[in-house]
Amino acid sequence: MKLIIQIPCYNEAETLHIALDALPKHIDGIDVIEYLIINDGSKDNTVEVARNWGVNYVVNFKQNRGLAKGFMAGLDACLRNGADIIVNTDADNQYRGDDIEKLVRPILEGKADIVIGERPIDQTEHFSWLKKKLQHLGSWVVRKASSTDIPDAPSGFRAYSREAALQMNVVNEYTYTLEQIVQAGRTKIPIMSVPIRTNEELRPSRLFSSMFGYVKKSMLTIVRAYLMYKPMRFFFVLGCIPLIFGVLLGIRFLVFFLNGSGNGNVQSLILCSMLILISVMVWVVGLLADVMAANRKILQEIQQKVRELDYKISDFDKEP
């Protein structure tokens, strides 16, 4: 059983060695533990620090491509190098390395294929009051969209079985955390969370420049992910909005018509017709999106099989 711990990095030379030193060297049930960093276009000596420490693999980007791209590149490298379990953590030492055993234990015991670390958000001193509330709100929205019970959706401290990693897809360029929970919940990948601890803040977060920008991008990511997996439900609800207003206007016109003053309210009848037509058009779009979602599921299954074959060939090529 091989575990590979991956760390996305962007100009992390000052803190990377601290995070690496905290990583476990042995876990019961794991035969081999290896380490991988994703150098996302760093301008400092992040790679030199990693190599001097002794990481096994380095994935290099010539320029910054973002957290989501880096995460997927790391996942691909871990799978190609035979990982049975993959753990993702941060280079700023936000998460306690000792808690990696908590993440991998449910996978080793066959209880889940994805395990997410639940941070003590309310007890984290460097989180502002607003950030704590937004974290809880965002996690609640993700739970509703994904039909899961994950309490800390933005947490990047998570573990994947090989089977789950083979199915992962990230289409947005912002972050992978929220989209993957929606994907896992809607595709019935076994997912759970475990409580973990955090360390003191070594540097401010680089994921977002403002709270408003974080909320906006997070909500767009959730809506987009939900559209990918439940488009018919989304467009049905959306189409019901103009339908309700159209029906109300139609009832209003009928009331006036029965009272003998319908000729002066023809505008209501025209607007009623337009709103109902818009509603029908939205539902038609929903039907088309649902067909596209079905095709996407087929393509995702094909992609998984191609990945499995590709990684098996890669393993064969490495053998003497």
Side-chain angles (χ1 to χ4, degrees):
M1 181 69 68
K2 178 190 281 193
L3 164 66
I4 298 183
I5 303 171
Q6 71 169 33
I7 307 178
C9 298
Y10 179 63
N11 296 334
E12 304 287 2
E14 293 184 3
T15 60
L16 180 59
H17 68 282
I18 300 174
L20 289 170
D21 287 341
L23 297 180
K25 307 300 186 291
H26 171 77
I27 295 175
D28 290 341
I30 301 293
D31 301 310
V32 179
I33 300 178
E34 295 180 340
Y35 312 91
L36 176 147
I37 71 158
I38 303 101
N39 174 37
D40 194 10
S42 297
K43 305 301 182 184
D44 61 4
N45 61 333
T46 293
V47 174
E48 182 180 348
V49 170
R51 292 194 187 280
N52 288 340
W53 187 87
V55 299
N56 302 90
Y57 313 103
V58 176
V59 177
N60 264 311
F61 288 163
K62 294 181 180 179
Q63 64 180 19
N64 184 262
R65 298 178 63 183
L67 183 59
K69 294 288 186 182
F71 172 83
M72 289 304 298
L75 217 63
D76 177 76
C78 289
L79 290 169
R80 287 186 183 279
N81 286 283
D84 298 297
I85 301 176
I86 301 167
V87 167
N88 186 85
T89 188
D90 286 354
D92 61 358
N93 200 40
Q94 176 184 176
Y95 310 108
R96 296 283 295 269
D98 293 342
D99 287 340
I100 287 178
E101 182 170 4
K102 294 183 180 179
L103 291 181
V104 303
R105 188 58 54 193
I107 296 177
L108 290 172
E109 295 175 354
K111 296 179 180 179
D113 284 321
I114 301 177
V115 183
I116 298 176
E118 177 193 352
R119 297 168 293 179
I121 294 174
D122 292 326
Q123 287 74 45
T124 304
E125 295 181 357
H126 62 267
F127 281 6
S128 66
W129 177 87
L130 179 59
K131 184 174 182 178
K132 291 176 181 179
K133 297 303 178 184
L134 290 175
Q135 293 274 19
H136 287 307
L137 176 61
S139 296
W140 177 82
V141 173
V142 171
R143 286 196 296 273
K144 295 300 180 182
S146 63
S147 295
T148 65
D149 59 355
I150 302 301
D152 186 9
S155 172
F157 194 43
R158 45 185 69 188
Y160 302 83
S161 69
R162 185 175 182 86
E163 182 180 355
L166 285 167
Q167 300 179 58
M168 288 295 101
N169 282 296
V170 177
V171 297
N172 82 89
E173 298 181 356
Y174 174 56
T175 180
Y176 61 91
T177 55
L178 308 180
E179 181 180 339
Q180 284 189 347
I181 295 176
V182 176
Q183 178 187 355
R186 293 299 173 182
T187 55
K188 307 302 181 184
I189 298 175
I191 182 172
M192 64 178 291
S193 67
V194 294
I196 53 97
R197 299 163 293 172
T198 56
N199 295 311
E200 294 182 1
E201 185 179 37
L202 296 180
R203 61 162 176 77
S205 174
R206 296 171 181 167
L207 187 58
F208 56 92
S209 56
S210 68
M211 195 63 67
F212 174 76
Y214 170 73
V215 173
K216 182 182 71 173
K217 289 182 178 180
S218 296
M219 293 307 298
L220 287 175
T221 299
I222 294 169
V223 170
R224 186 176 185 181
Y226 189 81
L227 271 171
M228 288 178 62
Y229 295 97
K230 288 293 180 181
M232 192 64 230
R233 180 178 298 179
F234 178 87
F235 283 104
F236 175 78
V237 173
L238 189 64
C240 285
I241 297 173
L243 177 67
I244 292 171
F245 285 105
V247 169
L248 291 175
L249 283 172
I251 294 173
R252 177 178 180 272
F253 174 79
L254 285 175
V255 170
F256 282 111
F257 179 79
L258 293 175
N259 289 331
S261 55
N263 292 335
N265 294 277
V266 177
Q267 299 91 336
S268 297
L269 183 61
I270 295 173
L271 184 56
C272 165
S273 302
M274 291 178 62
L275 288 172
I276 293 175
L277 181 60
I278 291 172
S279 178
V280 173
M281 292 175 65
V282 170
W283 287 341
V284 170
V285 171
L287 287 171
L288 294 175
D290 193 59
V291 172
M292 293 175 64
N295 289 332
R296 181 197 54 75
K297 290 179 182 178
I298 296 173
L299 290 173
Q300 187 171 335
E301 291 176 0
I302 294 173
Q303 181 189 52
Q304 181 181 350
K305 296 299 181 183
V306 171
R307 281 176 172 174
E308 290 174 355
L309 180 61
D310 186 22
Y311 297 139
K312 285 179 181 178
I313 292 175
S314 298
D315 291 339
F316 178 77
D317 290 340
K318 289 188 293 184
E319 294 179 3

